[in-house]
Amino acid sequence: MVPTGSMLAVLAVAIVLPVVQPFTIPCVGCTCFDKDTNHVIDCSGRNLTSVPDGVRNQGDVYEINLSGNKLTHMHYSDFLGTTAVKVDLSDNQIRNIDDGTFGVSSNIESLDLHKNQLNSLPEALTRLRKINTLDVRDNPDNSDIPINLTNAIMKEMGDTIQKFQFGHRNLDHWPPTISHFQDLQDLTLDQSSDQLKVIPPMAFHSFQSTLLVLTIKNTNLVAVPLGVSTLRRIDEFHFDNNVKVGNEGIVAQAFVRNHTTLRTLSLINDNLSSFPRALAYIPTLRNLDMSNNGLEFISDESILNLGITNLTMHFCNLDRIPGALFHLKHLTRLDMADNKLVTVENNDIQNIPEVTNLTLARNPIKFISNTAFGNHTSLDSVDISYTKLTTIPVAFNTTHVDNINLVGSHIDCMCEYVWVSTIVNNFEGCCANIEERIEDYVRKYVPLCPEYIERYGLGRTAEADLHAHIQSLDKSGC
């Protein structure tokens, strides 16, 4: 039998829908489902004080989520018979974990214990022969003394741990036992006390050849750790919400290497007022996020010769698109959402010739100069949603932009948009003066405008298309 069009449509939907289906195991008190062929038992946020019986003896289970409950004691054989690879016990009140809680031959590779009441690492961790990911942040929660990263237990896990997250608001020194993790690839320090101002230069020595991702956030550090320069394979460095750093704390010595590999750097909310000169020592840098810094000035020298392709600057109090950005010859994505831009001036974007994706959303923009983009041939997508614009900027008339996002901007739709229909392919957003999507107005109404007819003639189906559109039940979506 030859498939009909409707049969093919049903088949196509069946193919693209995500695989999230219930699976047939006893699951009393929890929710069980398949996600991307993996069996998941979700018992999160149910005020549980003990592990439900339905969690035990479940074969072929990939993930067990018990987060956000009131568990205080993990008992022997709570996970007996399960094959879970990923277990989430975060945001509970766990003080004790019995030695046999996870069994002798556990399959657990990822264990989340953050935000509990653990005073020290439990002995049960040494039974997890396959564990490679461990999160012990905020332990014990609301306590004055951070968790003890016990030497013997850290050493026992040293051969398998590849991702480790730790930190506490009263952490006052760098834990030397982290040096046991000699295959570490992803490390996060989240929170520290006023006493920990500088991380020792040799802190990363044991995994300087393996670490790929480093995250240091919400600390009281006063400078980027000098040890970053020793990381031979580092690809991402997220140094965020370290408000005591300031401009002086982004020290060049932390980034000087003969063969740097760093491609992604975020310096979000680090109390910076300018682009760090240290960026000049990272020739491999491609992605930079400077959001939530009160940037007063961006000098030519600070970004000269940088190879950045993706630049994000949210909430930086910028009232102009910085002229210095024209030095970024390889920049393809510029995101300046949530600033204080009121106008986009002559050639502001033309001077950044390789930009394909521009985001200026949630700025109080009232005016975009007709020459703001110049003859920009690379520009493909522009997000000017939630601005104070009232018309589609004529500046797009000289571009080849494919998509413009005007959602939340009060755009008046009118016959003057004859030029738009031949320039822009896709619009997002609604007309302010008529209950229509901007894209539908441009496609259905403008072809009947006098200026359009004078220039291009009356299309054979233009009137019928508009009539059919008006009669359709889903005409607007606005």
Side-chain angles (χ1 to χ4, degrees):
M1 181 176 67
V2 178
T4 65
S6 59
M7 291 172 63
L8 291 173
V10 171
L11 179 60
V13 171
I15 291 173
V16 302
L17 285 176
V19 181
V20 180
Q21 305 169 354
F23 64 104
T24 55
I25 64 172
C27 201
V28 179
C30 301
T31 301
C32 296
F33 56 91
D34 282 355
K35 183 177 180 181
D36 298 331
T37 72
N38 292 320
H39 295 343
V40 178
I41 301 178
D42 186 357
C43 307
S44 61
R46 298 169 189 261
N47 292 318
L48 299 173
T49 57
S50 62
V51 177
D53 292 338
V55 170
R56 299 184 186 89
N57 298 309
Q58 298 291 2
D60 198 24
V61 172
Y62 176 80
E63 179 179 350
I64 298 174
N65 187 348
L66 284 157
S67 65
N69 284 295
K70 296 181 179 179
L71 304 176
T72 60
H73 192 150
M74 304 307 297
H75 297 280
Y76 177 80
S77 300
D78 268 345
F79 296 95
L80 180 67
T82 67
T83 58
V85 172
K86 183 177 181 180
V87 174
D88 188 346
L89 296 173
S90 64
D91 196 15
N92 276 283
Q93 300 164 22
I94 300 171
R95 296 181 181 277
N96 299 293
I97 298 179
D98 289 349
D99 192 16
T101 294
F102 305 113
V104 178
S105 57
S106 176
N107 291 316
I108 294 175
E109 296 179 11
S110 174
L111 180 60
D112 191 342
L113 293 170
H114 95 263
K115 202 173 183 182
N116 275 289
Q117 299 297 332
L118 296 170
N119 292 307
S120 61
L121 294 179
E123 189 74 25
L125 294 178
T126 63
R127 306 290 187 266
L128 303 179
R129 300 302 181 186
K130 297 181 180 180
I131 189 167
N132 58 49
T133 300
L134 179 63
D135 187 347
V136 295
R137 291 173 297 155
D138 294 316
N139 273 289
D141 192 27
N142 297 320
S143 172
D144 292 335
I145 302 176
I147 189 172
N148 178 19
L149 301 180
T150 319
N151 184 68
I153 297 174
M154 296 284 279
K155 185 176 181 180
E156 189 71 23
M157 296 187 294
D159 291 337
T160 60
I161 290 292
Q162 295 181 339
K163 182 176 181 179
F164 184 61
Q165 300 181 69
F166 76 107
H168 190 278
R169 61 188 177 85
N170 287 315
L171 181 70
D172 59 5
H173 67 282
W174 182 262
T177 55
I178 292 180
S179 63
H180 290 303
F181 296 156
Q182 298 192 18
D183 193 30
L184 197 62
Q185 297 178 21
D186 189 333
L187 176 64
T188 295
L189 167 61
D190 183 359
Q191 294 192 77
S192 68
S193 75
D194 286 334
Q195 302 302 310
L196 181 57
K197 296 184 182 298
V198 177
I199 292 177
M202 298 299 291
F204 311 133
H205 177 74
S206 295
F207 37 84
Q208 63 182 12
S209 297
T210 62
L211 199 70
L212 302 174
V213 180
L214 175 61
T215 301
I216 299 175
K217 60 183 180 179
N218 304 315
T219 73
N220 286 288
L221 296 178
V222 297
V224 175
L226 296 180
V228 172
S229 65
T230 69
L231 299 173
R232 299 170 184 169
R233 299 177 60 200
I234 187 73
D235 182 68
E236 297 182 25
F237 180 29
H238 304 279
F239 192 69
D240 304 328
N241 299 315
N242 304 296
V243 296
K244 295 188 177 180
V245 173
N247 297 332
E248 297 77 13
I250 310 298
V251 292
Q253 295 91 323
F255 298 101
V256 175
R257 275 191 60 80
N258 289 332
H259 303 288
T260 181
T261 58
L262 185 63
R263 292 178 56 85
T264 298
L265 174 65
S266 62
L267 299 171
I268 300 171
N269 194 30
D270 287 332
N271 195 26
L272 305 178
S273 61
S274 62
F275 266 50
R277 296 288 184 91
L279 298 179
Y281 296 93
I282 320 175
T284 54
L285 187 63
R286 296 296 176 265
N287 308 297
L288 176 64
D289 194 336
M290 293 283 295
S291 296
N292 294 83
N293 289 292
L295 298 178
E296 298 173 358
F297 182 67
I298 300 178
S299 68
D300 293 343
E301 294 79 7
S302 63
I303 60 176
L304 190 64
N305 299 322
L306 293 184
I308 295 171
T309 60
N310 184 351
L311 175 60
T312 303
M313 297 185 290
H314 293 178
F315 296 104
C316 289
N317 294 321
L318 295 169
D319 58 8
R320 281 290 308 271
I321 294 176
L325 296 185
F326 85 90
H327 289 298
L328 300 179
K329 302 300 183 183
H330 305 285
L331 189 66
T332 59
R333 182 181 179 276
L334 175 61
D335 187 347
M336 290 182 59
D338 299 296
N339 278 284
K340 296 182 178 180
L341 303 178
V342 176
T343 63
V344 181
E345 300 293 346
N346 295 343
N347 305 319
D348 273 356
I349 306 302
Q350 182 183 22
N351 290 334
I352 319 171
E354 297 304 315
V355 166
T356 61
N357 191 309
L358 174 66
T359 299
L360 302 175
R362 298 179 299 279
N363 276 282
I365 299 173
K366 295 181 180 180
F367 173 74
I368 295 180
S369 167
N370 291 350
T371 59
F373 303 125
N375 295 314
H376 207 299
T377 58
S378 299
L379 200 60
D380 180 68
S381 178
V382 178
D383 185 347
I384 43 177
S385 60
Y386 298 97
T387 67
K388 294 187 177 182
L389 290 170
T390 58
T391 61
I392 300 174
V394 177
F396 290 114
N397 197 13
T398 58
T399 71
H400 299 286
V401 65
D402 182 70
N403 184 80
I404 301 177
N405 187 347
L406 287 159
V407 171
S409 297
H410 296 282
I411 302 298
D412 289 329
C413 290
M414 46 194 171
C415 279
E416 293 178 10
Y417 298 152
V418 171
W419 62 270
V420 175
S421 62
T422 61
I423 299 295
V424 184
N425 290 324
N426 302 289
F427 282 99
E428 298 176 58
C430 297
C431 302
N433 58 335
I434 182 175
E435 191 177 323
E436 284 287 357
R437 295 189 308 130
I438 296 173
E439 182 164 330
D440 286 336
Y441 184 87
V442 170
R443 300 285 174 254
K444 308 297 183 183
Y445 289 80
V446 168
L448 293 174
C449 289
E451 184 179 340
Y452 186 97
I453 295 173
E454 181 180 341
R455 184 179 302 182
Y456 301 107
L458 178 62
R460 183 170 55 86
T461 63
E463 291 179 331
D465 289 346
L466 177 58
H467 180 74
H469 170 69
I470 292 174
Q471 295 302 316
S472 66
L473 295 176
D474 58 347
K475 66 172 185 176
S476 174
C478 293

